[in-house]
Amino acid sequence: MINVRKLKRKWENVSKNNKMIFLLLGCLCFITVGYAAINQVLKIAGYASIDKGDGMIFTSIGIKENNNASVEKDATIKAKTLVNTQIGFTGEGSITFQVSAQNQGTTDAKLIEIKGLNEHNTKEPTCIKATVQDHNIGDLVYPNQVKNFTITITSTCSSYSSKEFDLHFVYEKQETINGALPSLGNAAEYLKNNKVSTDINTSPTNGLFAIGNNGELTTSTSPREYRYIGADPDNYIQFNNELWRIIGIFDGQLKIIRNESLGDMQWNSNVNDWSTAYLQIYLNYDYYGTIDLEDRSKIDSNYTWKLGGSSTYDDVTAQMFYERERGNEVYSGRPTEWIGEIALMYPSDYGFSTSGGSTTNRSSCLATVLFDWYESEGEDCYTNSWLYDSSNNQWTLAPNASNSDGVFRVTYDGYVGNSYVDISYVVRPAVYLLSNVEIVSGIGTPDEPFILG
């Protein structure tokens, strides 16, 4: 019988100094209450600012829990020291922000006071309160350390009220022997020695695994490489004051990819040549210029990215893609390698990232061509890959060697297929880090990502 779904997908591919004052959530909160129609509306609007002092900056802020709050303007970080936000409630409710701040100074910072918290909470109306969790008086924040804590705004008001919060986190420099946060060691060696899982059954759990020459999990002391696999392994790393994720370890170097995409962009205007592609130029000039200088120095700027492709796509497994990506099969005249800082993931990165599931195990996933991962036998494969995005098509680096303008993409349906360079899909930049970078803290979770030294 004719496989109509496969034909449809094929058609799609063809057609297309002693104190640091830290003003944290500082005016998050001009809080006022008003009426709109019959409903009582509590408005919270304002901005937070940081006195940078000896190096304290915002690194991230997001909503951890929302109970009946309307987010009218997202909390966003500007220039590392400002946060703007606007939220509201209809009736009683609360909202909790997860906040991360980093000490980028050279001495320890000790939290000695939170000004404004008790003072404002005891003022009328006391039905509007702010609380701080996970950051207590006396806490030390070491150089390079990221401190994660939460701030919650709660309203139990039943009548018109207004209130303003101005929270100041006051840190005192500590001239102690602590100095810099001690390094846990070379990043690649630390991960290999402390994070590699020995669970290599047919349906392994999330984690970092050694990979053999045929893509299989192994306990060999000389594996080909190490990769994070599973639906959501603890491979988060802070880079450029953002969350990135570790794809794996290759020849002693960490390959990392941005957790969030940069949005939809064209790969190029007409040809599948990465060395001159619009996206390559944007990532390595415009976007590269926005990366924090210290983190920029950790990128291997002389890395040789392999640009091999495949002339077919509906009969290629992850292992086959891996071999072809490192081969010489390209469209006539295209380069087979490129030296630079920022590129994209490979189709094989996606394929090898699955742990498989209870119905289809990892070995079966790797034996299935990536073009067929969308079908029922592939669901366990793509849903157990942390690189899968159910909402977006994602660009990869590998070109289609059989035509001049084809490049492979990972679809939101879970399979890898061909597309054309002038179509816009989401972009997640990837980089190789220098082999001498160190990890100073973190456990790899979103709340406590690995921190590089």
Side-chain angles (χ1 to χ4, degrees), residues 309-373:
S310 175
S311 59
T312 60
Y313 55 86
D314 59 356
D315 59 350
V316 190
T317 64
Q319 176 65 24
M320 293 166 67
F321 261 119
Y322 180 91
E323 294 167 354
R324 296 179 189 187
E325 291 155 4
R326 287 149 184 81
N328 297 318
E329 188 177 8
V330 293
Y331 189 77
S332 179
R334 303 288 187 263
T336 58
E337 58 185 37
W338 167 82
I339 298 176
E341 290 89 356
I342 308 175
L344 305 167
M345 68 173 167
Y346 291 114
S348 65
D349 288 332
Y350 170 63
F352 283 140
S353 67
T354 185
S355 64
S358 58
T359 301
T360 308
N361 61 34
R362 187 174 190 273
S363 297
S364 297
C365 289
L366 297 187
T368 303
V369 301
L370 292 181
F371 187 69
D372 288 340
W373 271 22

Side-chain angles (χ1 to χ4, degrees), residues 96-109:
T96 298
F97 291 89
Q98 179 71 52
V99 185
S100 296
Q102 184 178 27
N103 179 4
Q104 292 194 342
T106 58
T107 60
D108 300 346

Side-chain angles (χ1 to χ4, degrees), residues 30 37 86 101 120 143 160 167 211-212 228 248 252 274 316 340 403 430 435 443 450:
F30 295 107
Q86 183 173 330
H120 288 295
Y160 181 88
L167 307 183
I211 306 295
Y228 275 98
W274 179 255
V316 190
N403 60 56
S435 60
I443 57 176
F450 295 119

